[in-house]
Amino acid sequence: MQQKIKEFISIVSQEVEALIPLSFENNYYGKMFYSNKNKVLESDVLLLKKTISFEVAFVHVTLHLVCKTCRGIDFETMLKMVDKEGFYSWYRIRNSIVLEGINNSNITFSEIYQLINEHDTLIDKDIKKKLGQFYTPVGIVKKMIKELKSDFKSLDENASIIDPACGTGVFIVETIKLLKQWLTIDNLVAFVNNVVYAYDVNPFAVVVTRINIVNVLFELGYKNDDF
């Protein structure tokens, strides 16, 4: 199933690349221009454009999968929630084969989590290096979170959990899984909404982190008919 989903992402990515509006490119470059001399923008514009196309495709395909797995959660509502700045919302998947494939998929919450955390294997290694994108493996994150278990157990409503370079949100997701040992799902959702913060220089990372968080909350039992 994972391979099929990756094929869907590739198909959508190619479609996106031919449709990217100039306004989006300028906005993207502006957000990624975080140094005085960004060599990626100067020498690898075409490669970066392919990466941008992949990111747009990945957000839309993954979010469709989450909505499908959550049994009918409205895609437009979910998109507004995870893409609060409207950064990736200019695009919609039109390919009927991809949409049908997503609707017929039997992908699980854990498989979506795996897909999100392995997305960087589909990105060109050269551009990841030049943009300084490095992702911590889930296994290492789990060990780090386990070491802090006693500290997490004592958290209260006055605490804050902050990831200043969130990537795909794996540190936050593994923390949420741990906190479920002591909090009801409703209290856990309230905790996430009130005191969990994620930041990154790449807007893609922030949106994907939100998708990852939504995915794990539903996996842990969150059910809200008005979501």
Side-chain angles (χ1 to χ4, degrees):
M1 176 53 67
Q2 293 283 50
Q3 183 56 43
K4 196 65 179 178
I5 297 302
K6 290 176 182 178
E7 291 176 9
F8 293 156
I9 293 171
S10 178
I11 292 171
V12 174
S13 180
Q14 293 175 35
E15 181 180 277
V16 170
E17 189 172 357
L19 297 174
I20 295 178
L22 182 60
S23 58
F24 175 75
E25 284 194 72
N26 291 338
N27 193 12
Y28 188 96
Y29 295 152
K31 286 181 177 294
M32 292 301 294
F33 199 84
Y34 48 86
S35 67
N36 291 330
K37 293 185 178 180
N38 193 321
K39 296 301 181 182
V40 176
L41 301 185
E42 294 177 6
S43 61
D44 293 303
V45 174
L46 293 179
L47 185 58
L48 183 57
K49 189 171 183 177
K50 287 185 179 296
T51 303
I52 294 172
S53 302
F54 165 80
E55 291 179 358
V56 175
F58 190 87
V59 166
H60 281 264
V61 171
T62 306
L63 194 56
H64 271 288
L65 288 169
V66 172
C67 291
K68 192 268 180 184
T69 307
C70 292
R71 299 186 182 278
I73 297 297
D74 180 65
F75 175 81
E76 295 297 331
T77 300
M78 194 79 91
L79 182 62
K80 288 180 181 179
M81 188 189 71
V82 300
D83 187 21
K84 295 180 180 180
E85 297 78 17
F87 198 67
Y88 295 97
S89 298
W90 60 270
Y91 175 75
R92 294 294 183 279
I93 297 176
R94 304 300 183 196
N95 190 300
S96 59
I97 296 176
V98 171
L99 290 173
E100 183 179 354
I102 291 173
N103 290 332
N104 292 332
S105 67
N106 293 313
I107 195 168
T108 64
F109 291 111
S110 60
E111 288 174 329
I112 293 175
Y113 183 48
Q114 181 182 358
L115 176 68
I116 290 174
N117 295 324
E118 293 180 353
H119 86 282
D120 59 307
T121 61
L122 305 176
I123 299 176
D124 187 275
K125 292 182 180 180
D126 185 46
I127 201 164
K128 282 197 302 180
K129 181 179 179 180
K130 290 179 179 179
L131 289 174
Q133 295 179 350
F134 299 94
Y135 297 89
T136 308
V138 176
I140 294 177
V141 174
K142 288 182 177 180
K143 290 181 180 179
M144 295 174 68
I145 296 297
K146 187 176 181 180
E147 290 293 322
L148 296 171
K149 184 174 181 178
S150 59
D151 294 322
F152 284 126
K153 192 174 182 179
S154 62
L155 290 176
D156 57 28
E157 65 275 8
N158 296 315
S160 293
I161 295 177
I162 303 172
D163 189 339
C166 60
T168 60
V170 62
F171 278 95
I172 291 177
V173 169
E174 291 302 325
T175 298
I176 289 172
K177 290 180 179 179
L178 181 63
L179 291 175
K180 183 61 174 65
Q181 296 181 30
W182 307 295
L183 299 175
T184 66
I185 188 61
D186 288 338
N187 287 338
L188 182 59
V189 171
F191 188 87
V192 170
N193 284 333
N194 294 328
V195 301
V196 173
Y197 304 91
Y199 303 95
D200 204 287
V201 294
N202 188 347
F204 171 73
V206 175
V207 172
V208 170
T209 292
R210 289 171 182 158
I211 295 174
N212 223 350
I213 291 173
V214 168
N215 183 65
V216 74
L217 288 176
F218 274 96
E219 181 183 20
L220 293 175
Y222 181 55
K223 296 178 180 179
N224 187 339
D225 294 335
D226 297 323
F227 194 84

